[in-house]
Amino acid sequence: METSHRFSRPHLADCVPDLIATARGDKKATLVIQNVRLVNVTSGEILPDMSIGVQGPRIAFVGKDASHMIGTGTRVIDAAGKYAAPGLLDGHCHIESSQITPTQFARAVLVKGTTGGFFDAHEITNVLGLPGLRLMLDEARTTPLAAYMQVASCVPSTGPELETSGAMIGPDEVAEAFTWGPDMIALGEVMNFPGVVFSDEKMIGEIQAALRAGRVADGHYTWPVDDWRLSAYAASGITGCHESVNAQDVIERVRLGMYAKMRRGSAWHDVAESIKAHTEHGIDTRRMMLVTDDRSPESLVDEGHMDFVVRHAIAQGVRPVTAFQMATINTAERFGVARDVGSITPGSFADIILLEGSLVDVHVGMTIAAGQVVAEQGRMTVELPAFDYPETAIRSVHLARDLQADDFVIQAPVQYGELTARAMQVRENHVDTKEERVTVRIDKGRIELDLTKDVCKMAVIERHTGTGNQALGLVSNVGFNKPVAIASTVAHDCHNLMIIGNSDELMAKAGNAVAGMQGGIAVVLEDEIVKLPLPVAGLMSSAPFEEVAEQSRAVSEALVKAGCTMNYAFMTLSLLALIVIPELRLSDKGLIKITEQGFVEVPLFVEDEK
């Protein structure tokens, strides 16, 4: 295995003389790929018997015969009729959600054919602020990926009156981040959509800062799409959104000039319904994109990354070339970088994948990034350098004190009897929850859980500065049928300490275990504890992704033992503190509900509602 240097992605202007000389044959190519079936995403064709000539990191020639540019130093690859497609691009992804650092993420996805992405690092930014975002950018630049970063727009996701994050980002910070380089590509998803629609000064200022810097703004809109509010949101300059869960969501966004991002994460299965905008309603696909949003480490190993999403779209009836367009050129055009990535065309970066078997299989046999072969047959062929994190990044969990069982007692307004309470009902393979009214038994002024009723407690505890601030709520439909608790500092998006369980003692034990690891996940059963350390901002591990995937798998298996059989259950549970997603969520400040007017705090007990 070769040791990589810093992967170079120079500006096209600096490469023009060499590219033209190579196309003429005066300068010999560094790499030539012959005898390919070219997946031409710009014309929508499959072109047989094609050759690709590469000079350094960029493509110089695409045509029938590249023999005139082959010299003694040229690496020649005979593709033997295999399909050559552009490297896949993820148009909306949070690296931190894969619980691995950018270096390990690159190792995990390059072998699957992903050569670039548009990464919204709002997870680490909510913990460490702009320094955290800068760490992600600096590390991503050391990998072969065409890694474009977005400036986190919602830190916190709404406002400090509703939740506590580790930092605050406003218009000035957004403007500063855009000075770091052209690979700071866009404003990340604007999740405070009520703030945009009703002209919150901070949110409007951030969008204006992005537009003035010549960048685009990404969205996150979950209100119904059939009234004036979506137009107001689009009028702000936000031109992309990944919260389409059905065909109508896609159609209305596209009609307003937005890019509709269709998501197939580990636990967010939205493509099957949203793609019907094209397969059943005939909507033009040029503003439709395939994205992952969040992929767990074991799903990267077991299913794949963008290769999996493209394969899934094809299985829904999308023409293969069209599916590839949704994961390459459409994405590049959305972010204004189609001159560099997204197609196999002269002048573009040589980000190319060779496919084994049929086009519908999307089985990647070789990955070329910036003109270098970086992976073959599922293995990396280059060694990526290690990245060192500062002490501030690996010691980010600060609790006021050790947790005790009494911290999870939910006091009731009566001493005995039954009361009606609100519970967050989780939904398998969906990001949203439903508000469920549950009947709870009260004994000596406290809620007493019944294991047979599938209702458990949830706590969110501030962990950034050790204030001790916390809130308690109820969760239903998790499936727990024996004493258990799960604690995690991965709790979107403020990433406070979240604990879910049906035993106060086990909840305290799980929370203390996570704090002792300086972040991560712990599942505690009566006779077992399973841990996944995530010391980088309490979100990521720098260990090899294969190792993290196995630890994550152990967490999933422990949840199954406790009765929780949801697909990639942790991914769903980790969203229960993300208050910008309907319908009911819990922050460290209280129980938050999305209404027609925006975000409001509601009481746990229905009887307490005024």
Side-chain angles (χ1 to χ4, degrees):
M1 183 178 292
E2 299 176 10
T3 300
S4 76
H5 52 78
R6 186 183 187 280
F7 283 83
S8 176
R9 288 185 177 269
H11 195 282
L12 175 58
D14 298 325
C15 303
V16 165
D18 287 343
L19 294 177
I20 295 173
T22 303
R24 285 198 309 264
D26 294 345
K27 186 178 179 69
K28 300 309 176 184
T30 54
L31 172 67
V32 167
I33 310 171
Q34 298 176 323
N35 191 20
V36 300
R37 285 184 282 181
L38 180 65
V39 182
N40 192 312
V41 295
T42 60
S43 65
E45 303 172 279
I46 304 294
L47 303 177
D49 303 319
M50 297 293 286
S51 295
I52 306 164
V54 176
Q55 183 58 248
R58 290 185 180 265
I59 297 169
F61 171 88
V62 178
K64 288 290 186 182
D65 184 7
S67 59
H68 64 294
M69 61 187 68
I70 297 175
T72 56
T74 304
R75 178 173 182 177
V76 179
I77 298 173
D78 184 353
K82 294 175 182 176
Y83 289 98
L88 303 176
L89 301 172
D90 193 339
H92 181 75
C93 176
H94 308 286
I95 291 176
E96 306 99 307
S97 292
S98 295
Q99 299 163 10
I100 47 181
T101 57
T103 299
Q104 292 303 318
F105 182 84
R107 289 187 62 244
V109 303
L110 282 164
V111 298
K112 304 290 188 178
T114 298
T115 58
F118 299 84
F119 303 117
D120 186 350
H122 69 204
E123 320 295 357
I124 196 170
T125 310
N126 265 284
V127 178
L128 301 176
L130 280 190
L133 176 60
R134 186 61 196 242
L135 286 170
M136 295 292 284
L137 176 66
D138 288 346
E139 182 173 2
R141 284 172 172 172
T142 70
T143 76
L145 291 173
Y148 298 94
M149 285 288 168
Q150 297 178 272
V151 184
S153 65
C154 292
V155 180
S157 63
T158 55
E161 70 281 0
L162 295 178
E163 56 185 338
T164 305
S165 61
M168 293 284 290
I169 296 294
D172 290 343
E173 289 79 13
V174 169
E176 177 186 339
F178 283 134
T179 67
W180 296 346
D183 48 357
M184 291 303 307
I185 196 71
L187 184 67
E189 58 177 300
V190 182
M191 297 182 290
N192 188 354
F193 50 93
V196 175
V197 171
F198 294 109
S199 298
D200 175 82
E201 182 178 348
K202 172 180 175 289
M203 297 316 308
I204 298 302
E206 290 183 9
I207 295 169
Q208 289 175 318
L211 299 178
R212 289 187 176 117
R215 298 334 200 265
V216 297
D218 255 351
H220 169 124
Y221 181 95
T222 64
W223 270 334
V225 295
D226 58 355
D227 63 24
W228 61 271
R229 292 174 298 181
L230 182 59
S231 278
Y233 192 68
S236 73
I238 294 171
T239 49
C241 181
H242 65 283
E243 290 295 337
S244 295
V245 299
N246 56 48
Q248 198 60 35
D249 285 345
V250 172
I251 292 169
E252 294 301 329
R253 284 167 171 79
V254 171
R255 284 175 175 170
L256 296 180
M258 300 179 77
Y259 280 83
K261 304 180 180 186
M262 298 169 293
R263 170 177 54 194
R264 183 60 159 86
S266 299
W268 335 135
H269 295 187
D270 298 328
V271 168
E273 288 300 317
S274 58
I275 200 70
K276 291 177 181 178
H278 168 62
T279 57
E280 295 185 6
H281 297 271
I283 294 297
D284 192 297
T285 59
R286 63 181 176 167
R287 287 181 179 264
M288 296 170 66
M289 298 161 50
L290 297 172
V291 305
T292 67
D293 198 359
D294 300 308
R295 296 290 285 167
S296 72
E298 71 266 38
S299 69
L300 290 176
V301 172
D302 296 343
E303 296 176 336
H305 190 239
M306 286 303 297
D307 60 321
F308 172 73
V309 185
V310 173
R311 191 160 50 245
H312 175 65
I314 294 171
Q316 309 309 309
V318 178
R319 192 169 71 106
V321 173
T322 302
F324 274 90
Q325 288 173 325
M326 292 178 181
T328 57
I329 190 66
N330 291 11
T331 304
E333 288 177 344
R334 184 271 177 279
F335 288 99
V337 290
R339 178 63 280 167
D340 287 334
V341 295
S343 67
I344 299 177
T345 50
S348 297
F349 283 119
D351 295 336
I352 302 165
I353 55 177
L354 296 183
L355 305 174
E356 306 284 342
S358 71
L359 194 57
V360 301
D361 293 334
V362 199
H363 179 64
V364 179
M366 177 181 287
T367 304
I368 299 165
Q372 298 187 51
V373 177
V374 297
E376 289 187 72
Q377 302 303 325
R379 296 183 179 275
M380 292 291 291
T381 58
V382 296
E383 195 76 48
L384 304 187
F387 187 85
D388 292 327
Y389 280 87
E391 187 75 5
T392 53
I394 58 176
R395 298 200 62 82
S396 65
V397 179
H398 308 284
L399 298 186
R401 55 172 174 77
D402 288 345
L403 301 176
Q404 302 171 0
D406 286 348
D407 294 326
F408 306 100
V409 170
I410 299 179
Q411 300 287 347
V414 299
Q415 286 296 300
Y416 297 96
E418 292 184 339
L419 290 176
T420 301
R422 292 179 171 86
M424 296 168 278
Q425 183 191 79
V426 299
R427 303 176 66 219
E428 185 175 25
N429 295 330
H430 289 80
V431 299
D432 62 325
T433 66
K434 296 297 182 182
E435 178 182 328
E436 182 180 3
R437 303 291 176 93
V438 297
T439 300
V440 292
R441 184 170 66 90
I442 310 302
D443 184 46
K444 297 179 181 178
R446 300 178 172 190
I447 285 182
E448 294 294 333
L449 296 180
D450 182 344
L451 284 180
T452 66
K453 292 188 175 181
D454 197 7
V455 175
C456 51
K457 294 179 181 180
M458 174 173 165
V460 178
I461 303 169
E462 192 277 327
R463 64 98 164 180
H464 302 293
T465 59
T467 63
N469 195 55
Q470 75 168 49
L472 298 169
L474 298 175
V475 183
S476 66
N477 204 37
V478 176
F480 290 154
N481 54 23
K482 61 180 62 175
V484 64
I486 178 173
S488 173
T489 46
V490 178
H492 302 275
D493 270 345
C494 283
H495 298 292
N496 286 303
L497 177 60
M498 178 185 70
I499 309 173
I500 301 168
N502 51 28
S503 161
D504 296 347
E505 290 76 16
L506 296 185
M507 291 176 75
K509 186 175 181 180
N512 288 329
V514 168
M517 295 187 292
Q518 272 300 305
I521 306 165
V523 180
V524 179
L525 297 144
E526 288 185 305
D527 58 351
E528 182 182 9
I529 181 168
V530 176
K531 299 179 182 180
L532 169 51
L534 301 172
V536 181
L539 303 172
M540 298 176 288
S541 170
S542 58
F545 79 88
E546 300 94 339
E547 178 183 321
V548 179
E550 289 310 305
Q551 292 173 321
S552 181
R553 197 185 311 279
V555 166
S556 298
E557 291 171 353
L559 291 174
V560 170
K561 287 181 183 178
C564 178
T565 59
M566 287 187 295
N567 178 54
Y568 295 112
F570 176 76
M571 301 296 284
T572 299
L573 298 178
S574 70
L575 292 185
L576 290 177
L578 181 51
I579 65 176
V580 296
I581 296 181
E583 180 171 50
L584 194 64
R585 306 278 157 160
L586 184 72
S587 79
D588 67 305
K589 298 290 183 72
L591 199 59
I592 310 299
K593 184 176 181 178
I594 295 181
T595 69
E596 294 296 301
Q597 290 73 43
F599 309 104
V600 297
E601 185 174 354
V602 294
L604 175 62
F605 295 103
V606 175
E607 288 82 354
D608 289 342
E609 191 166 30
K610 295 179 181 180

